[in-house]
């Protein structure tokens, strides 16, 4: 069992102490499923990157801007909100000190994606 609240608090503290303003940990790795807790301080970002074919972003605290989300351009996501991410390129910026749970499913085949 993972103490998500405790992990969020610890990683936000670590991000605030980091010169890069971020801290992350892979909490769940079960075959294709991965869940990572990520903390970013306000103004820091994850640059544009290729996203997995299936995923979601659940903001635990704070507020972030997800660029390229679901083909709809930029989307702001606040504490307690969940957004589905797509396999399109995306970026993320912390508008406030933030912690989020990034869930991905990797290694999907074309057949898996068609379902």
């Amino acid at each position: 069992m993972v103490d998500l609240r405790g992990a969020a608090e610890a990683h936000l503290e670590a991000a605030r102490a980091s010169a890069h303003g971020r801290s992350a940990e892979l909490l769940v790795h079960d075959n294709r499923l991965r869940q990572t807790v990520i903390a970013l301080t306000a103004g820091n970002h994850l640059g544009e990157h290729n996203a997995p074919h299936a995923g979601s972003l659940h903001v635990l605290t704070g507020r972030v801007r997800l660029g390229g989300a679901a083909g709809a351009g930029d989307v702001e996501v606040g504490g307690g909100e969940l957004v589905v991410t797509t396999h399109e390129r995306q970026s993320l910026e912390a508008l406030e000190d933030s912690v989020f749970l990034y869930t991905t499913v990797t290694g999907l085949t074309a057949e898996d994606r068609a379902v």
Side-chain angles (χ1 to χ4, degrees):
M1 182 179 325
V2 174
D3 175 7
L4 189 54
R5 189 170 295 142
E9 290 171 4
H11 282 283
L12 187 53
E13 185 177 314
R16 288 175 174 153
S18 168
H20 300 290
R22 67 176 69 181
S23 179
E25 178 183 7
L26 179 62
L27 299 176
V28 175
H29 183 188
D30 184 14
N31 196 1
R32 295 178 179 171
L33 174 67
R34 289 172 178 75
Q35 291 187 297
T36 305
V37 66
I38 302 172
L40 293 174
T41 56
N44 282 294
H45 66 279
L46 302 177
E48 190 172 287
H49 58 279
N50 289 328
H53 290 282
S56 67
L57 181 94
H58 178 187
V59 176
L60 303 172
T61 62
R63 187 160 201 78
V64 301
R65 179 180 299 122
L66 182 63
D74 291 355
V75 175
E76 288 190 17
V77 188
E81 295 180 328
L82 175 79
V83 64
V84 173
T85 61
T86 66
H87 61 276
E88 298 171 9
R89 292 186 65 75
Q90 61 188 15
S91 61
L92 187 131
E93 177 186 5
L95 302 174
E96 304 171 3
D97 287 0
S98 302
V99 182
F100 54 94
L101 184 67
Y102 187 41
T103 301
T104 61
V105 179
T106 61
L108 294 178
T109 66
E111 183 178 307
D112 292 332
R113 292 188 297 267
V115 175

